[in-house]
Amino acid sequence: MTLLINSQRCRRCGGHPRCADVCPGNLLVLPERGHIVSREPDDCWDCGACIKVCPQQALAVSLPPEAGGQGSTLRAKQIAGKIRWTLEHPDGRLETIDL
Amino acid sequence: MDVLDTDWLILGGGAAGIMAAIRAKELCPTCRVTVIEKANVQRSGCLAAGINAINAYLNPGETAESFLSYVKAEFANLVRDDLVYTLAERLNEMTDRLVEWGLPVFRDEQGRYLRRGRASVQINGEAIKPLMAAALHQCGAEVLNHRVATDLIVIDDRVVGALVLNLADGSFTAVRAKGVLIATGGVSGIYGPNAGGAARHKQWYSPFNAGTGLAMAARAGAELTSLEMRFIALRVAHTMAPTGTLAQGVRTPHINRLNAHYLNDYTYEQVAPTTAERLWATLQEEKKGRGPCYLDTRGLTSEQGERLQKAYLSMCPTQVLQWSDAGKRPEEMPVPITGSEPYLVGGHGMAGLWIDERRRTTVTGLYAAGDAAGGAPKKYVTGSMAEGAIAAETFFNEIQDWREPRPDAWQIAVCAALQRARQPLEPKEDSTKGNCENNNKSQIRRLEEQLQAVMDRWAGGRPAGYEYDAKGLLRAQQEVDYLIEAGREIKASEAYELMRVHEVWDRLLLARLLLAHMLYRQESRWPVYQSRLDYPARDDQRWRIFVNSRIPAQNTVTKIDLEIIERPPVDSHGRDGQTALSSFGGGAA
Ligand SMILES: Cc1cc2nc3c(=O)[nH]c(=O)nc-3n(C[C@H](O)[C@H](O)[C@H](O)COP(=O)(O)OP(=O)(O)OC[C@H]3O[C@@H](n4cnc5c(N)ncnc54)[C@H](O)[C@@H]3O)c2cc1C
Ligand code: SF4
Ligand code: SF4
């Protein structure tokens, strides 16, 4: 499970989930009620496409323990056509990187 | 069932497919051009996360001829010269198009694209796929997203369309077309990933390119080439992130666990190691107990480290997580490297559909481009685009040969395709559906993992050091045949599951073809990629030929019966298509 979904933040994109639309693996689905879910969390490629389009920053990636993950996460936000990444280190420290 | 009519039908909206659509619309603005894409062209395929170099570009001083020599030297002097040359001629045009669509490039003092390696230039390619998608929409082609092509529709040995599954509602559409392009990319998932469990899709190649285009073309009787030349990438361990940005971009040295620069400890065919030889040397170090090996970033400045971080965010974001999980900056920690699992990928290696110089497969009405097309390695993004453009040009040259299929023959062909495609679907009224869905998913997954375990163990997977012999291959053939049989029982209850069943079926079929290729080539031609324990030497006398395979079309439903065909090398690159066509005359073996 490498895609992290923050259920509180997901606002369902008015029923047309942007994240699900762009996922190259068609992994994300919006149930009739509630937040976005992944059909097969372990099938995520970690491409970050969904994270970059989510208007609520409800999505993040982390490395699974099988790949040496220690809990860092990456979130993204689009600001005027640019991407602002937020990297949360294992100790909770936040680092922002603008592209 | 819906029927859709179009002129030029493109299966797969990646680098090759998008360019094939744009070129077609340039040549014939009033023609109907349709792109079928299993995800959304916005972020689908290999380019989902972005890239940061154009890896096939003719820098000043280079020519199509010199590009060809470079590719030949990298691939043991056996590539399709005609294919490499004709795509090389178009590489810079494709790069210019990308820049025109808004791709940010870096420039040197003279205003030229900033050179990264002999045949590559540096870019900021985070948005390369959305930019391509915008150009595609702009060109006026019809784009159908979240539609999965499952089968070609064939009448009298001519491809006349494709069957398409709509993931949104599970419906099928039969698309009737005058020409069909396979641009569905290469094949991952035949071998097991480097890490399992939740990291099973931490692969280098797209786990969603399942080889459907190759499989459907094979079932339609098309010839495939060089599957035995599997591509194995030297990548960052655990994240499978590309290493070019480190090795070429900032020139980090390769070191082993003992901090020694090991690349110079080996001798290579030429002075400098090829891509395959660098991988081979790294694996030798692992074997000798001096692994893991690393790309040593420790000499970099903090500014360079920061730039590396940004470069990876624009291409493989999880690499940045690897550094922060270790509590280190990029310039503080050497990056571990290792070999990926093997893939069949025509953009990096040789495996794919056998095409002529004009990008026609051996089946009339069917074309191929990009990672799905074989014989021309190192084509990457721009070479894939070039092939898409060439295929579109050929199609319009031949459009007058097209004859409307007879309605009765069309009906029969569509029904046959539909019957195969829908076969795994359970009857609708099944009351235990909820449970079934979970059960189906795990059965699909299990079948895929069984295939991967067989290939890893007996057919030169990563756990076997990528090497194999006839005994193992025969054992693998037997087991894959059994899995193909068992796979017929797998069920699906909705569209996504149905797509997954087809992906596993396609992988099984391609694994079976791959094994036949591996068994047939009795030498070791390409280090690591094709390396036999029972025939450890390269034999140019006998084996400087292409090994091709084909399934006689009538035998696709029941037992897989395949034929191996030898094709002689094409050591010229005629500009009129004749040279390549004549190579189709090779004898069956
Ligand atoms: C991780 C990674 C990094 C790379 N980095 C670079 C780089 O830095 N520079 C460079 O020049 N090259 C790079 N490459 C190579 C380059 O991306 C590929 O060679 C190129 O994208 C191939 O184009 P394609 O159209 O054949 O495949 P893709 O671009 O993958 O497109 C294939 C498309 O077909 C779709 N599809 C698959 N099956 C079906 C189906 N059944 N029905 C409908 N649609 C389907 C897929 O969803 C996908 O959109 C990289 C590749 C990878 C995997
Ligand atoms: S990171 Fe990529 S593969 Fe994973 S869910 Fe998001 S879009 Fe899909
Ligand atoms: S894009 Fe974000 S807000 Fe919209 S459905 Fe997806 S997770 Fe929810």
Side-chain angles (χ1 to χ4, degrees), chain B residues 12 14-16 37-38 44 46-47 51 53 55 149 184 204 209 371 380-381:
Chain B
E37 168 51 55
K38 107 195 245 188
S44 62
C46 290
L47 299 171
I51 57 173
N55 283 335
T184 47
W204 166 70
N209 282 359
D371 281 1
Y380 307 117
V381 172

Side-chain angles (χ1 to χ4, degrees), chain A residues 1 21 24-27 39-40 43-47 52 66-67 69-72 74 83 89-90 95 98-99, chain B residues 38-40 49 126 146 167 198 200-204 206-208 238 310 314 317 324-325 329 441 445 496:
Chain A
M1 167 121 54
D21 194 30
N26 291 293
L27 296 177
R39 300 175 200 268
E40 296 261 5
D43 279 356
C44 174
W45 190 27
D46 296 325
C47 71
K52 290 182 268 192
E66 288 90 334
Q70 298 287 331
S72 301
L74 265 172
I83 302 171
H89 292 268
E95 183 183 347
D98 288 320
L99 289 192
Chain B
K38 107 195 245 188
N40 183 327
E126 187 283 320
H146 304 293
L167 282 178
R200 69 181 177 220
H201 274 181
K202 280 257 64 25
Q203 307 175 357
W204 166 70
S206 168
F208 314 120
H238 308 304
K310 287 188 176 178
S314 305
S324 75
D325 278 337
R329 308 289 311 169
K441 273 207 186 101
R445 165 68 50 210
Y496 176 80

Side-chain angles (χ1 to χ4, degrees), chain A residues 24-46:
Chain A
N26 291 293
L27 296 177
L28 302 171
V29 271
L30 192 62
E32 258 163 52
R33 251 172 275 129
H35 57 85
I36 201 85
V37 293
S38 175
R39 300 175 200 268
E40 296 261 5
D42 293 353
D43 279 356
C44 174
W45 190 27
D46 296 325

